[in-house]
PDB file of all heavy atoms in Angstrom:
ATOM      1  N   ALA B 168     287.903  75.464  37.532  1.00  0.00           N
ATOM      2  CA  ALA B 168     289.285  75.017  37.738  1.00  0.00           C
ATOM      3  C   ALA B 168     289.484  73.613  37.161  1.00  0.00           C
ATOM      4  O   ALA B 168     290.500  73.336  36.511  1.00  0.00           O
ATOM      5  CB  ALA B 168     289.612  75.036  39.223  1.00  0.00           C
ATOM      6  N   ALA B 169     288.507  72.726  37.367  1.00  0.00           N
ATOM      7  CA  ALA B 169     288.647  71.346  36.883  1.00  0.00           C
ATOM      8  C   ALA B 169     288.682  71.310  35.352  1.00  0.00           C
ATOM      9  O   ALA B 169     289.455  70.560  34.766  1.00  0.00           O
ATOM     10  CB  ALA B 169     287.488  70.493  37.408  1.00  0.00           C
ATOM     11  N   LEU B 170     287.844  72.150  34.725  1.00  0.00           N
ATOM     12  CA  LEU B 170     287.837  72.182  33.253  1.00  0.00           C
ATOM     13  C   LEU B 170     289.212  72.552  32.717  1.00  0.00           C
ATOM     14  O   LEU B 170     289.701  71.965  31.751  1.00  0.00           O
ATOM     15  CB  LEU B 170     286.803  73.195  32.759  1.00  0.00           C
ATOM     16  CG  LEU B 170     285.373  72.687  32.627  1.00  0.00           C
ATOM     17  CD1 LEU B 170     284.466  73.800  32.131  1.00  0.00           C
ATOM     18  CD2 LEU B 170     285.329  71.518  31.656  1.00  0.00           C
ATOM     19  N   SER B 171     289.843  73.564  33.359  1.00  0.00           N
ATOM     20  CA  SER B 171     291.134  74.012  32.832  1.00  0.00           C
ATOM     21  C   SER B 171     292.209  72.944  33.047  1.00  0.00           C
ATOM     22  O   SER B 171     293.093  72.780  32.221  1.00  0.00           O
ATOM     23  CB  SER B 171     291.535  75.346  33.454  1.00  0.00           C
ATOM     24  OG  SER B 171     292.169  75.142  34.683  1.00  0.00           O
ATOM     25  N   VAL B 172     292.118  72.185  34.151  1.00  0.00           N
ATOM     26  CA  VAL B 172     293.110  71.120  34.373  1.00  0.00           C
ATOM     27  C   VAL B 172     292.880  69.970  33.399  1.00  0.00           C
ATOM     28  O   VAL B 172     293.814  69.429  32.818  1.00  0.00           O
ATOM     29  CB  VAL B 172     293.032  70.585  35.822  1.00  0.00           C
ATOM     30  CG1 VAL B 172     294.090  69.524  36.043  1.00  0.00           C
ATOM     31  CG2 VAL B 172     293.214  71.710  36.801  1.00  0.00           C
ATOM     32  N   LEU B 173     291.603  69.602  33.216  1.00  0.00           N
ATOM     33  CA  LEU B 173     291.283  68.444  32.362  1.00  0.00           C
ATOM     34  C   LEU B 173     291.744  68.665  30.922  1.00  0.00           C
ATOM     35  O   LEU B 173     291.950  67.710  30.183  1.00  0.00           O
ATOM     36  CB  LEU B 173     289.777  68.179  32.399  1.00  0.00           C
ATOM     37  CG  LEU B 173     289.281  67.411  33.623  1.00  0.00           C
ATOM     38  CD1 LEU B 173     287.768  67.462  33.711  1.00  0.00           C
ATOM     39  CD2 LEU B 173     289.750  65.967  33.566  1.00  0.00           C
ATOM     40  N   ALA B 174     291.883  69.940  30.525  1.00  0.00           N
ATOM     41  CA  ALA B 174     292.274  70.207  29.142  1.00  0.00           C
ATOM     42  C   ALA B 174     293.795  70.233  28.969  1.00  0.00           C
ATOM     43  O   ALA B 174     294.286  70.409  27.866  1.00  0.00           O
ATOM     44  CB  ALA B 174     291.670  71.538  28.696  1.00  0.00           C
ATOM     45  N   ARG B 175     294.551  70.095  30.091  1.00  0.00           N
ATOM     46  CA  ARG B 175     296.003  70.231  29.971  1.00  0.00           C
ATOM     47  C   ARG B 175     296.662  68.959  29.470  1.00  0.00           C
ATOM     48  O   ARG B 175     296.093  67.869  29.564  1.00  0.00           O
ATOM     49  CB  ARG B 175     296.594  70.613  31.326  1.00  0.00           C
ATOM     50  CG  ARG B 175     296.353  72.079  31.586  1.00  0.00           C
ATOM     51  CD  ARG B 175     297.307  72.646  32.576  1.00  0.00           C
ATOM     52  NE  ARG B 175     296.667  73.836  33.131  1.00  0.00           N
ATOM     53  CZ  ARG B 175     296.606  74.101  34.421  1.00  0.00           C
ATOM     54  NH1 ARG B 175     297.175  73.283  35.271  1.00  0.00           N
ATOM     55  NH2 ARG B 175     296.010  75.178  34.841  1.00  0.00           N
ATOM     56  N   ASP B 176     297.898  69.135  28.987  1.00  0.00           N
ATOM     57  CA  ASP B 176     298.591  68.028  28.336  1.00  0.00           C
ATOM     58  C   ASP B 176     298.891  66.882  29.291  1.00  0.00           C
ATOM     59  O   ASP B 176     298.782  65.717  28.920  1.00  0.00           O
ATOM     60  CB  ASP B 176     299.892  68.525  27.711  1.00  0.00           C
ATOM     61  CG  ASP B 176     299.606  69.302  26.438  1.00  0.00           C
ATOM     62  OD1 ASP B 176     298.485  69.143  25.910  1.00  0.00           O
ATOM     63  OD2 ASP B 176     300.470  70.073  25.995  1.00  0.00           O
ATOM     64  N   HIS B 177     299.285  67.194  30.546  1.00  0.00           N
ATOM     65  CA  HIS B 177     299.689  66.099  31.417  1.00  0.00           C
ATOM     66  C   HIS B 177     298.504  65.189  31.754  1.00  0.00           C
ATOM     67  O   HIS B 177     298.676  63.994  31.964  1.00  0.00           O
ATOM     68  CB  HIS B 177     300.400  66.607  32.683  1.00  0.00           C
ATOM     69  CG  HIS B 177     299.506  67.294  33.667  1.00  0.00           C
ATOM     70  ND1 HIS B 177     299.288  68.648  33.661  1.00  0.00           N
ATOM     71  CD2 HIS B 177     298.783  66.803  34.693  1.00  0.00           C
ATOM     72  CE1 HIS B 177     298.472  68.965  34.642  1.00  0.00           C
ATOM     73  NE2 HIS B 177     298.147  67.871  35.279  1.00  0.00           N
ATOM     74  N   VAL B 178     297.291  65.759  31.778  1.00  0.00           N
ATOM     75  CA  VAL B 178     296.119  64.919  32.016  1.00  0.00           C
ATOM     76  C   VAL B 178     295.856  64.030  30.812  1.00  0.00           C
ATOM     77  O   VAL B 178     295.586  62.828  30.939  1.00  0.00           O
ATOM     78  CB  VAL B 178     294.892  65.797  32.333  1.00  0.00           C
ATOM     79  CG1 VAL B 178     293.640  64.943  32.421  1.00  0.00           C
ATOM     80  CG2 VAL B 178     295.113  66.542  33.633  1.00  0.00           C
ATOM     81  N   ARG B 179     295.981  64.623  29.614  1.00  0.00           N
ATOM     82  CA  ARG B 179     295.783  63.816  28.406  1.00  0.00           C
ATOM     83  C   ARG B 179     296.853  62.731  28.315  1.00  0.00           C
ATOM     84  O   ARG B 179     296.565  61.593  27.915  1.00  0.00           O
ATOM     85  CB  ARG B 179     295.808  64.718  27.180  1.00  0.00           C
ATOM     86  CG  ARG B 179     294.662  65.719  27.216  1.00  0.00           C
ATOM     87  CD  ARG B 179     294.779  66.741  26.102  1.00  0.00           C
ATOM     88  NE  ARG B 179     294.761  66.120  24.791  1.00  0.00           N
ATOM     89  CZ  ARG B 179     295.175  66.749  23.696  1.00  0.00           C
ATOM     90  NH1 ARG B 179     295.666  67.971  23.788  1.00  0.00           N
ATOM     91  NH2 ARG B 179     295.128  66.151  22.541  1.00  0.00           N
ATOM     92  N   ALA B 180     298.082  63.095  28.696  1.00  0.00           N
ATOM     93  CA  ALA B 180     299.164  62.108  28.671  1.00  0.00           C
ATOM     94  C   ALA B 180     298.865  60.968  29.645  1.00  0.00           C
ATOM     95  O   ALA B 180     299.038  59.783  29.315  1.00  0.00           O
ATOM     96  CB  ALA B 180     300.491  62.778  29.020  1.00  0.00           C
ATOM     97  N   ALA B 181     298.381  61.335  30.847  1.00  0.00           N
ATOM     98  CA  ALA B 181     298.069  60.308  31.843  1.00  0.00           C
ATOM     99  C   ALA B 181     296.992  59.379  31.319  1.00  0.00           C
ATOM    100  O   ALA B 181     297.062  58.158  31.488  1.00  0.00           O
ATOM    101  CB  ALA B 181     297.614  60.978  33.149  1.00  0.00           C
ATOM    102  N   ARG B 182     295.985  59.962  30.664  1.00  0.00           N
ATOM    103  CA  ARG B 182     294.916  59.126  30.077  1.00  0.00           C
ATOM    104  C   ARG B 182     295.501  58.172  29.047  1.00  0.00           C
ATOM    105  O   ARG B 182     295.157  56.989  29.015  1.00  0.00           O
ATOM    106  CB  ARG B 182     293.884  60.026  29.404  1.00  0.00           C
ATOM    107  CG  ARG B 182     292.718  60.316  30.274  1.00  0.00           C
ATOM    108  CD  ARG B 182     291.479  60.644  29.473  1.00  0.00           C
ATOM    109  NE  ARG B 182     290.449  61.011  30.436  1.00  0.00           N
ATOM    110  CZ  ARG B 182     289.840  62.188  30.468  1.00  0.00           C
ATOM    111  NH1 ARG B 182     290.118  63.097  29.561  1.00  0.00           N
ATOM    112  NH2 ARG B 182     288.960  62.448  31.395  1.00  0.00           N
ATOM    113  N   ALA B 183     296.378  58.728  28.195  1.00  0.00           N
ATOM    114  CA  ALA B 183     296.957  57.904  27.129  1.00  0.00           C
ATOM    115  C   ALA B 183     297.774  56.755  27.718  1.00  0.00           C
ATOM    116  O   ALA B 183     297.835  55.672  27.147  1.00  0.00           O
ATOM    117  CB  ALA B 183     297.822  58.760  26.222  1.00  0.00           C
ATOM    118  N   LEU B 184     298.360  56.994  28.907  1.00  0.00           N
ATOM    119  CA  LEU B 184     299.152  55.949  29.552  1.00  0.00           C
ATOM    120  C   LEU B 184     298.268  54.897  30.203  1.00  0.00           C
ATOM    121  O   LEU B 184     298.763  53.915  30.745  1.00  0.00           O
ATOM    122  CB  LEU B 184     300.064  56.562  30.615  1.00  0.00           C
ATOM    123  CG  LEU B 184     301.294  57.288  30.069  1.00  0.00           C
ATOM    124  CD1 LEU B 184     301.994  58.042  31.176  1.00  0.00           C
ATOM    125  CD2 LEU B 184     302.247  56.294  29.422  1.00  0.00           C
ATOM    126  N   GLY B 185     296.967  55.110  30.193  1.00  0.00           N
ATOM    127  CA  GLY B 185     296.065  54.104  30.727  1.00  0.00           C
ATOM    128  C   GLY B 185     295.718  54.274  32.190  1.00  0.00           C
ATOM    129  O   GLY B 185     295.252  53.339  32.829  1.00  0.00           O
ATOM    130  N   VAL B 186     295.939  55.457  32.761  1.00  0.00           N
ATOM    131  CA  VAL B 186     295.551  55.708  34.150  1.00  0.00           C
ATOM    132  C   VAL B 186     294.032  55.660  34.242  1.00  0.00           C
ATOM    133  O   VAL B 186     293.333  56.184  33.373  1.00  0.00           O
ATOM    134  CB  VAL B 186     296.075  57.093  34.594  1.00  0.00           C
ATOM    135  CG1 VAL B 186     295.563  57.456  35.963  1.00  0.00           C
ATOM    136  CG2 VAL B 186     297.586  57.109  34.570  1.00  0.00           C
ATOM    137  N   THR B 187     293.516  55.019  35.297  1.00  0.00           N
ATOM    138  CA  THR B 187     292.058  54.940  35.425  1.00  0.00           C
ATOM    139  C   THR B 187     291.496  56.330  35.709  1.00  0.00           C
ATOM    140  O   THR B 187     292.183  57.194  36.255  1.00  0.00           O
ATOM    141  CB  THR B 187     291.651  54.004  36.574  1.00  0.00           C
ATOM    142  OG1 THR B 187     292.158  54.556  37.784  1.00  0.00           O
ATOM    143  CG2 THR B 187     292.184  52.608  36.366  1.00  0.00           C
ATOM    144  N   GLU B 188     290.216  56.499  35.357  1.00  0.00           N
ATOM    145  CA  GLU B 188     289.579  57.796  35.525  1.00  0.00           C
ATOM    146  C   GLU B 188     289.552  58.226  36.991  1.00  0.00           C
ATOM    147  O   GLU B 188     289.748  59.388  37.321  1.00  0.00           O
ATOM    148  CB  GLU B 188     288.159  57.758  34.960  1.00  0.00           C
ATOM    149  CG  GLU B 188     288.109  57.653  33.448  1.00  0.00           C
ATOM    150  CD  GLU B 188     288.590  58.914  32.737  1.00  0.00           C
ATOM    151  OE1 GLU B 188     288.077  59.999  33.052  1.00  0.00           O
ATOM    152  OE2 GLU B 188     289.498  58.826  31.892  1.00  0.00           O
ATOM    153  N   ALA B 189     289.287  57.247  37.887  1.00  0.00           N
ATOM    154  CA  ALA B 189     289.207  57.585  39.308  1.00  0.00           C
ATOM    155  C   ALA B 189     290.553  58.120  39.799  1.00  0.00           C
ATOM    156  O   ALA B 189     290.633  59.147  40.473  1.00  0.00           O
ATOM    157  CB  ALA B 189     288.807  56.346  40.111  1.00  0.00           C
ATOM    158  N   ARG B 190     291.630  57.425  39.411  1.00  0.00           N
ATOM    159  CA  ARG B 190     292.962  57.839  39.835  1.00  0.00           C
ATOM    160  C   ARG B 190     293.320  59.191  39.205  1.00  0.00           C
ATOM    161  O   ARG B 190     293.924  60.049  39.848  1.00  0.00           O
ATOM    162  CB  ARG B 190     293.982  56.776  39.407  1.00  0.00           C
ATOM    163  CG  ARG B 190     295.354  57.017  39.983  1.00  0.00           C
ATOM    164  CD  ARG B 190     296.299  55.883  39.610  1.00  0.00           C
ATOM    165  NE  ARG B 190     297.669  56.355  39.684  1.00  0.00           N
ATOM    166  CZ  ARG B 190     298.366  56.462  40.805  1.00  0.00           C
ATOM    167  NH1 ARG B 190     297.805  56.138  41.943  1.00  0.00           N
ATOM    168  NH2 ARG B 190     299.606  56.898  40.795  1.00  0.00           N
ATOM    169  N   LEU B 191     292.908  59.372  37.955  1.00  0.00           N
ATOM    170  CA  LEU B 191     293.153  60.634  37.251  1.00  0.00           C
ATOM    171  C   LEU B 191     292.540  61.801  38.027  1.00  0.00           C
ATOM    172  O   LEU B 191     293.194  62.826  38.287  1.00  0.00           O
ATOM    173  CB  LEU B 191     292.537  60.543  35.858  1.00  0.00           C
ATOM    174  CG  LEU B 191     292.846  61.687  34.895  1.00  0.00           C
ATOM    175  CD1 LEU B 191     294.208  61.451  34.285  1.00  0.00           C
ATOM    176  CD2 LEU B 191     291.788  61.770  33.819  1.00  0.00           C
ATOM    177  N   LEU B 192     291.268  61.607  38.437  1.00  0.00           N
ATOM    178  CA  LEU B 192     290.580  62.687  39.146  1.00  0.00           C
ATOM    179  C   LEU B 192     291.229  62.934  40.502  1.00  0.00           C
ATOM    180  O   LEU B 192     291.429  64.079  40.907  1.00  0.00           O
ATOM    181  CB  LEU B 192     289.093  62.353  39.318  1.00  0.00           C
ATOM    182  CG  LEU B 192     288.255  62.409  38.038  1.00  0.00           C
ATOM    183  CD1 LEU B 192     286.814  62.034  38.338  1.00  0.00           C
ATOM    184  CD2 LEU B 192     288.308  63.787  37.409  1.00  0.00           C
ATOM    185  N   MET B 193     291.575  61.834  41.222  1.00  0.00           N
ATOM    186  CA  MET B 193     292.111  62.000  42.570  1.00  0.00           C
ATOM    187  C   MET B 193     293.521  62.582  42.541  1.00  0.00           C
ATOM    188  O   MET B 193     293.866  63.457  43.340  1.00  0.00           O
ATOM    189  CB  MET B 193     292.146  60.652  43.306  1.00  0.00           C
ATOM    190  CG  MET B 193     290.785  60.040  43.588  1.00  0.00           C
ATOM    191  SD  MET B 193     289.676  61.164  44.436  1.00  0.00           S
ATOM    192  CE  MET B 193     290.399  61.167  46.057  1.00  0.00           C
ATOM    193  N   ARG B 194     294.362  62.081  41.635  1.00  0.00           N
ATOM    194  CA  ARG B 194     295.777  62.452  41.657  1.00  0.00           C
ATOM    195  C   ARG B 194     296.077  63.739  40.903  1.00  0.00           C
ATOM    196  O   ARG B 194     296.963  64.496  41.280  1.00  0.00           O
ATOM    197  CB  ARG B 194     296.635  61.309  41.058  1.00  0.00           C
ATOM    198  CG  ARG B 194     296.892  60.196  42.013  1.00  0.00           C
ATOM    199  CD  ARG B 194     297.659  60.666  43.228  1.00  0.00           C
ATOM    200  NE  ARG B 194     298.998  61.150  42.888  1.00  0.00           N
ATOM    201  CZ  ARG B 194     300.087  60.423  42.977  1.00  0.00           C
ATOM    202  NH1 ARG B 194     299.998  59.186  43.407  1.00  0.00           N
ATOM    203  NH2 ARG B 194     301.256  60.931  42.666  1.00  0.00           N
TER     204      ARG B 194
END
Side-chain angles (χ1 to χ4, degrees):
Chain B
L170 275 180
S171 85
V172 182
L173 280 168
R175 283 202 202 133
D176 285 342
H177 71 268
V178 173
R179 297 172 60 197
R182 264 206 184 120
L184 284 171
V186 173
T187 62
E188 290 291 307
R190 189 176 157 81
L191 188 81
L192 289 179
M193 294 307 287
R194 280 299 296 263

